[in-house]
Amino acid sequence: MSETAMASTQTTEPRPGNELLVDVRGVDKVFTRGSETVHVLGGLDLQIPKGEFLALMGPSGSGKSTLLNLVGGLDRPTEGSVTVGGQRIDKLSDRKLAGWRARHVGLVFQFYNLMPVLSARKNVELPLLLTKLSGKERRKRAELALEIVGLSHRLNHYPRQLSGGEQQRTGIARAIVTDPTLLLCDEPTGDLDRKSGDEILDLLQALNTEQGKTIIMVTHDQRAADRATRTLHLDKGRLSSEPQA
Amino acid sequence: MKYLSLILGNLRRHKLRTALTLLSIIVAFLLFGYLAAIRSAFLAGIDVAGEDRLITRNKVSLINLMPMAHQAEINRVEGVDFATHNTWFGGIYQEPSNFFAQIVVVPEQYLELYPELELSDEDRQRWLETRTGVMIGKVLAERFDWKIGDKIPIMNPLWALKGGDRNWTFDVAAIYDAREQGIDTSQMFIRFDYFDEARQWGQGQVGWYVVRVDEPDRAGEIAAAIDAVFANSPDETKTEPEGAWYQGFANQVGNIGFIITAIVSAVFFTILLVAGNTMAYSVRERIGELAVLKAVGFTDGAVLGLVLGEALVITAIGGLIGLGLAWLLVAAGDPTNGAMPVFFISVRDLLLGGVLILALAFIAGIFPARTAQRLQVADALRR
Ligand SMILES: Nc1ncnc2c1ncn2[C@@H]1O[C@H](COP(=O)(O)OP(=O)(O)O)[C@@H](O)[C@H]1O
Ligand SMILES: [Mg+2]
C-alpha cells in the first residue's frame, strides 16, 4: 500500500450516514495552576462517527492529550458537553465515570503503562477484574486478546522481558480485552522504532477495519496519520482539517 | 481475592524492603505473644478467681498468722457458706531456685472449695489416708519428674519439726490437673493435721482463710461483716475478693501488667512507623500505575481498598507468623523451667493479636490509601 493511496482515501468531514459516536460541543478547558491559568481548549467541537479512525495532530502542548482525556472520561471540560454513544459523560459522578470507562473505552499510552509486577496475561486481565467474569473466563479472554495482537507466545512474560513493540501490543490487548467501541491512543508509536511502529499501526488499522473499532490516535508522525481515515489538526485550542502555517 | 496477584506482585517488587518490614512485624507479634504469656503467668489466679470466694487475712500483713478459732466465727457470719484455712509453708526443695508454692490445707475442705482442681477418686482417697501425703500439680510433677509414692525432702527455714530439725519429708499421694486453662498446677498441698502436730511452734495458728459466700453479689457486704467481727480484737482481719488477693501478690513484684503493656505499646508504635513508611513509599513510587488502574476503570474506592489490602496482607502475614512463633515458643515451656504457675497465650490475647493486626494494617495503610484514592487520573498520568 502506498502512502499516497492511503492519504487519498481520507475525507475531511465525518462520513455522512454513519451513526455519531463522539459528540464534543463547545468545549472549553482551562487549567489553573496556582495563580496561573492555562486556556487549552476554547469552544471546541468534534464529531466522530462510529467506525472512524481519526488521527489527531498538532504541536506539542496544543492540548491533544487533554482532548483525548475529555473524550475518554479521564477529565471533565470546564465548559461544554461531551457525549459518547449517546451518553453525556461530563455529567457523570466519578464513580459512574470509572464504570463507564471500564465498559466503553480502551486506552493506549505512549509509554505503554503496564504493571511491571504482572505478567502480560495478568496485565491484560486487569480491566476484567472489574467485571463479574470467572477467573477462567478472564484468563480465556486475556489470552484471546493477546492472540489478536500476536503475542500468544509471550503470555507469561513480564513487561521488562518484552521489547517496546511487544509491550505496546500488550497495551493494545489490555485496551481491547473488554471489547470497547472506542479506542483512544495517545502517541502509540511515539516511543517505538519505525518497524515496530508500523506493526502497531497495522494492528490498529486491522482493529478499525476488521473489528469496527472507532479509534482516535494522537500522533506527531505524518506516516502514522496517513493510516487513519481522517486527520484533524489541533492548534491554539481549535481543530481544523489543515495544519496551520 | 482476584486482586491478590496485584497485591502480592507489589509486595514482591522490593523484596528486601518487604522482607525487612515483614521481619519487624514478625518480631513485634512474637514479642507480643510471648509477653502476653508472661503477663498471664504473673496475673495467674486473677482471671480464674472464684467470684464466690473471699480471702480473710491478718490486717497487719500477709505474713502475720491468725488463730484457727477464727474459722468457727467466720462460719457464723450471715451469708458465709463456709470457710477453711490455709498456711504458707515456704520450704525449699534442694535449692531456692527450685521455688514452688507449698500450702498447708485441710484436704476435704480445700477440695470442696476449689472444684476446678481435677483429681481422681483414687488419688483423693490416697491423700486422705496418708498423713504425710501431699497433693501436687501436674506441672510441678512434670518439672521434677515426681510420681505417686515418691518421697520429697523439703528444707524449711520458716517451720522446724519438733526437736528443731528443719528437714521435712512428704509422700506424693495425689496429682491434680486443672479443669480449665489458667489454673495453677505448679503447687504442692500439705495436710494441716500432720503439719500442726509436727511443727515445733505455732500450734493453732494459720495463715489465711478462704471463705465461700452464698451470694457473690453481696461479697463486699459479707467481707465487711467478717472484718467487723474481729474489729478491736488482737487479731483484726482484712477480707477481700480472691481476685484482689492475687492482684495484691502480683503487685508485690511491681505492676507487671502495666510494664508489659508499656513495652508492647512502644514496640507497636515503632512497627507502625516502619509499616506506615513502607506503605507510603509503595504508593508514592507508583502513582503512575495507580493512575492507570483508575484509567482502565478502577474506582477511587477500589484503589483505596487495594492499598489497604496490601497493608493488610503484609501485617497479616507478619502478624500470624509472629503469633505462631510465640505460640510454639510458649508451648515449648516457660523460661524459668516450671516456676511460673501458668504459662500460655490465652484465647483473649490471641484475639487481641488479631485485632492488633487489623488496627496496624488500617493505621499504616489509611493515609497512603487516601492519597491513592484522591489521585486525579489525568493529572497523575502526566507525571
Ligand atoms: N493537569 C494539568 N494542569 C495544568 N496544566 C496542564 C494540565 N494538563 C495539561 N496542561 C497544560 O495544557 C497544555 C496542553 O497539554 P497536553 O494536552 O498534554 O498537550 P499535548 O498532548 O498536545 O502535547 C499544556 O500547556 C500543558 O502544560
Ligand atoms: Mg500529549
Side-chain angles (χ1 to χ4, degrees):
Chain A
M1 282 183 285
S2 81
E3 284 170 22
T4 48
M6 289 296 307
S8 66
T9 64
Q10 292 200 355
T11 56
T12 53
E13 287 301 308
R15 281 181 284 204
N18 275 9
E19 192 187 333
L20 209 56
L21 181 65
V22 176
D23 191 8
V24 175
R25 288 192 188 270
V27 158
D28 285 2
K29 183 65 187 177
V30 181
F31 290 109
T32 345
R33 202 182 270 145
S35 59
E36 204 185 332
T37 57
V38 192
H39 221 100
V40 182
L41 305 175
L44 185 135
D45 291 319
L46 172 63
Q47 280 75 39
I48 302 171
K50 218 176 211 152
E52 185 166 67
F53 183 175
L54 176 73
L56 194 55
M57 301 189 77
S60 186
S62 57
K64 303 182 296 296
S65 299
T66 302
L67 178 55
L68 219 52
N69 286 343
L70 294 178
V71 174
L74 300 174
D75 205 354
R76 289 188 169 80
T78 315
E79 280 300 330
S81 69
V82 179
T83 308
V84 180
Q87 173 135 38
R88 238 338 251 283
I89 61 165
D90 54 310
K91 292 284 183 229
L92 292 176
S93 67
D94 282 356
R95 195 187 160 75
K96 288 229 170 82
L97 197 55
W100 179 84
R101 283 198 298 273
R103 286 190 303 278
H104 299 289
V105 286
L107 299 165
V108 179
F109 306 91
Q110 178 177 359
F111 299 108
Y112 332 126
N113 281 347
L114 301 174
M115 302 285 144
V117 298
L118 298 180
S119 66
R121 179 157 50 71
K122 288 279 184 190
N123 262 291
V124 174
E125 243 186 80
L126 215 50
L128 296 179
L129 294 183
L130 302 162
T131 66
K132 289 196 170 66
L133 296 177
S134 70
K136 207 174 137 196
E137 185 65 20
R138 290 199 305 268
R139 197 187 159 104
K140 218 176 84 189
R141 293 201 186 185
E143 287 174 5
L144 181 66
L146 280 162
E147 193 184 312
I148 291 173
V149 301
L151 277 186
S152 292
H153 58 303
R154 292 279 187 268
L155 298 182
N156 296 314
H157 284 57
Y158 285 84
R160 62 169 186 285
Q161 300 168 323
L162 300 173
S163 71
E166 288 172 329
Q167 290 189 56
Q168 192 58 295
R169 286 160 184 274
T170 310
I172 292 172
R174 179 178 66 191
I176 60 173
V177 74
T178 52
D179 196 22
T181 30
L182 184 60
L183 283 186
L184 303 177
C185 314
D186 198 344
E187 302 188 36
T189 59
D191 201 46
L192 297 175
D193 59 57
R194 190 165 176 152
K195 183 168 169 293
S196 310
D198 283 344
E199 284 165 9
I200 294 297
L201 291 168
D202 290 342
L203 184 56
L204 290 177
Q205 221 171 2
L207 287 170
N208 174 240
T209 55
E210 286 161 31
Q211 314 236 357
K213 301 286 177 211
T214 306
I215 301 178
I216 309 179
M217 174 179 71
V218 170
T219 182
H220 281 299
D221 180 1
Q222 184 58 50
R223 291 180 59 260
D226 288 343
R227 304 287 199 106
T229 50
R230 178 161 69 124
T231 303
L232 287 176
H233 296 266
L234 182 61
D235 202 6
K236 313 230 162 55
R238 303 206 158 260
L239 283 169
S240 65
S241 48
E242 295 302 327
Q244 288 173 6
Chain B
M1 269 311 100
K2 56 189 176 184
Y3 301 113
L4 204 63
S5 62
L6 199 54
I7 289 174
L8 292 180
N10 282 322
L11 293 177
R12 272 197 300 266
R13 184 184 309 241
H14 290 286
K15 293 207 181 65
L16 182 64
R17 183 174 73 195
T18 301
L20 291 176
T21 305
L22 213 52
L23 200 64
S24 39
I25 296 173
I26 291 173
V27 169
F29 277 89
L30 172 60
L31 204 63
F32 164 79
Y34 201 74
L35 289 179
I38 290 185
R39 182 176 170 278
S40 34
F42 274 98
L43 303 185
I46 298 174
D47 288 347
V48 291
E51 281 191 348
D52 60 349
R53 289 192 295 252
L54 302 174
I55 306 282
T56 300
R57 61 153 167 107
N58 193 305
K59 192 178 179 184
V60 179
S61 86
L62 277 171
I63 57 169
N64 284 65
L65 299 174
M66 281 183 297
M68 243 175 88
H70 277 16
Q71 185 171 9
E73 290 187 66
I74 294 172
N75 277 336
R76 271 199 297 277
V77 171
E78 201 271 327
V80 168
D81 179 15
F82 85 95
T84 187
H85 57 76
N86 292 180
T87 305
W88 187 252
F89 188 69
I92 295 166
Y93 171 65
Q94 291 175 339
E95 47 188 294
S97 66
N98 284 341
F99 173 86
F100 56 91
Q102 302 132 22
I103 301 167
V104 183
V105 301
V106 180
E108 304 90 327
Q109 292 176 7
Y110 194 83
L111 291 172
E112 161 74 20
L113 267 179
Y114 288 91
E116 57 266 46
L117 304 189
E118 193 177 81
L119 190 66
S120 72
D121 288 343
E122 219 184 332
D123 280 22
R124 180 193 171 90
Q125 201 51 41
R126 191 182 306 109
W127 190 27
L128 294 179
E129 282 165 5
T130 319
R131 270 174 76 80
T132 56
V134 288
M135 172 176 77
I136 62 174
K138 184 166 164 269
V139 163
L140 181 61
E142 284 165 5
R143 181 177 173 194
F144 297 113
D145 195 23
W146 287 338
K147 305 262 180 308
I148 301 286
D150 283 358
K151 288 201 179 303
I152 315 293
I154 303 243
M155 201 288 287
N156 195 322
L158 257 47
W159 302 105
L161 289 153
K162 287 199 169 81
D165 186 1
R166 293 192 171 274
N167 295 302
W168 298 64
T169 305
F170 299 100
D171 299 288
V172 177
I175 297 177
Y176 72 93
D177 199 351
R179 281 192 213 280
E180 53 185 289
Q181 217 179 18
I183 291 168
D184 190 348
T185 61
S186 74
Q187 299 176 307
M188 169 184 278
F189 295 98
I190 296 161
R191 279 174 58 152
F192 179 76
D193 52 358
Y194 168 64
F195 169 73
D196 199 40
E197 185 195 277
R199 63 179 159 174
Q200 188 175 30
W201 61 276
Q203 269 68 21
Q205 297 279 309
V206 296
W208 65 89
Y209 289 93
V210 182
V211 182
R212 181 158 73 195
V213 298
D214 294 326
E215 299 165 57
D217 291 345
R218 286 181 55 224
E221 187 189 320
I222 297 167
I226 294 171
D227 291 342
V229 171
F230 306 104
N232 302 315
S233 81
D235 294 290
E236 290 191 61
T237 59
K238 180 172 180 222
T239 304
E240 57 193 351
E242 194 175 49
W245 155 267
Y246 284 119
Q247 183 81 61
F249 264 118
N251 288 350
Q252 288 186 316
V253 208
N255 194 336
I256 293 293
F258 173 76
I259 294 168
I260 288 183
T261 306
I263 294 174
V264 168
S265 305
V267 167
F268 272 84
F269 182 69
T270 314
I271 288 313
L272 189 61
L273 299 183
V274 171
N277 188 51
T278 300
M279 290 312 300
Y281 269 108
S282 163
V283 164
R284 197 180 313 166
E285 72 193 7
R286 58 190 161 99
I287 294 288
E289 288 175 38
L290 292 167
V292 170
L293 288 180
K294 289 194 178 183
V296 303
F298 281 64
T299 58
D300 296 344
V303 172
L304 172 95
L306 213 55
V307 176
L308 278 180
E310 199 175 312
L312 182 61
V313 166
I314 193 165
T315 48
I317 294 175
L320 293 176
I321 294 178
L323 287 176
L325 287 177
W327 200 83
L328 286 178
L329 218 62
V330 166
D334 85 67
T336 60
N337 193 23
M340 296 219 169
V342 292
F343 196 63
F344 68 101
I345 306 177
S346 67
V347 173
R348 204 180 53 193
D349 285 330
L350 284 177
L351 289 178
L352 180 60
V355 171
L356 278 175
I357 288 175
L358 294 178
L360 186 62
F362 184 77
I363 302 173
I366 189 63
F367 295 105
R370 292 279 294 153
T371 305
Q373 181 191 25
R374 281 193 292 249
L375 219 54
Q376 293 295 317
V377 203
D379 222 13
L381 278 174
R382 298 176 64 85
R383 298 190 204 170

